[in-house]
Amino acid sequence: MTLHGEWTSKKGPSRAENRDAGGLLQNNQMTLAVVVDASERGPHGAMFGRLWIKNLFIRATDFVEPNATALVQAMEHAHAMLRSAYPSEVAAYSALLLRHDLGTGWALGCGDCRVGKADSADSIDWLTPVHTVANMTGAPFTAEHAGMPERHTLTRSLKAKRFVSPDVTVVDLSSNQQWVLSTDGYWIEHLMTGTPRDELSDDASCLYLTATADHSCADTDCDNWQLISN
């Protein structure tokens, strides 16, 4: 089954640049979708996120047996290629790897980007946990956590010092084939708190995967989308 991606991404008015990035890689074996949200801490966050996805996709095209273990290893390799050039950058990310031939897949998350299964635009079952100080005890992330200043501090992230493995959740492909990958600016500030998109302060990005569209498309204010299909 071929899934098409609809990428939407907008810089927050309080931000100097849009530091979100997204990508979709598809071949005969798999669908791999990735979203990255680089923090304001380092000077080159936008480039860091885009290059990490690029390096990850280069590695992923050589997968002999696409699975969560191979993907995490590829993530670590992509991280190693960038750590010396971008020592100050920090990012959150989420990824979705689907094996349509096996009827299974894996949702991966590190930080406050998320993967969800969508019944509609207003009904999303978020599959990956959130790693912030606000819910550091492991509790499910709620609207109460969204209002805490501590939710902006990540307890797990992609950074130069060392590679931290993401949480991995096995997903079932037997029913719904609509998926969402989102940065916190979109799923927290827009969807959870109800802030209109044109009033969001943070960068807000969302990658929607569906089998009903006839092609992939991007609506973004910068060059932060990568699409590889073969």
Side-chain angles (χ1 to χ4, degrees), residues 35 92-96 107-117 124-131 135 139-142 179-184 187-188 192 205-207:
V35 165
Y93 66 86
S94 63
L96 179 67
L108 299 86
C110 184
D112 55 9
C113 293
R114 301 193 86 175
V115 177
K117 205 168 190 179
I124 300 173
D125 178 18
W126 295 111
L127 305 173
T128 52
V130 182
H131 308 114
N135 67 320
F141 195 92
T142 65
W179 307 88
V180 178
L181 290 85
S182 175
T183 64
D184 68 310
W187 77 266
I188 295 180
M192 180 172 278
S205 302
C206 177
L207 174 55

Side-chain angles (χ1 to χ4, degrees), residues 71-95:
L71 180 55
V72 172
Q73 290 174 348
M75 288 174 168
E76 186 169 10
H77 178 78
H79 165 265
M81 294 179 67
L82 296 176
R83 62 183 303 174
S84 61
Y86 298 93
S88 302
E89 310 308 325
V90 177
Y93 66 86
S94 63

Side-chain angles (χ1 to χ4, degrees), residues 21 36 44-58 78-79 81-82 85-86 158 223 226:
V36 176
H44 306 295
M47 182 60 69
F48 175 74
R50 297 169 199 176
L51 286 178
W52 188 73
I53 293 176
K54 179 180 179 180
N55 291 337
L56 175 60
F57 281 3
I58 290 173
H79 165 265
M81 294 179 67
L82 296 176
Y86 298 93
L158 182 69
D223 183 20
Q226 299 176 53

Side-chain angles (χ1 to χ4, degrees), residues 92-167:
Y93 66 86
S94 63
L96 179 67
L97 175 61
L98 302 178
R99 286 287 303 274
H100 300 284
D101 57 332
L102 300 179
T104 191
W106 302 268
L108 299 86
C110 184
D112 55 9
C113 293
R114 301 193 86 175
V115 177
K117 205 168 190 179
D119 292 324
S120 68
D122 299 321
S123 179
I124 300 173
D125 178 18
W126 295 111
L127 305 173
T128 52
V130 182
H131 308 114
T132 76
V133 171
N135 67 320
M136 65 184 303
T137 61
F141 195 92
T142 65
E144 181 180 359
H145 295 128
M148 297 179 179
E150 293 83 1
R151 74 102 168 159
H152 296 286
T153 302
L154 303 181
T155 56
R156 188 179 298 195
S157 61
L158 182 69
K159 53 188 175 183
K161 185 176 181 180
R162 65 186 178 92
F163 179 76
V164 177
S165 293
D167 266 316

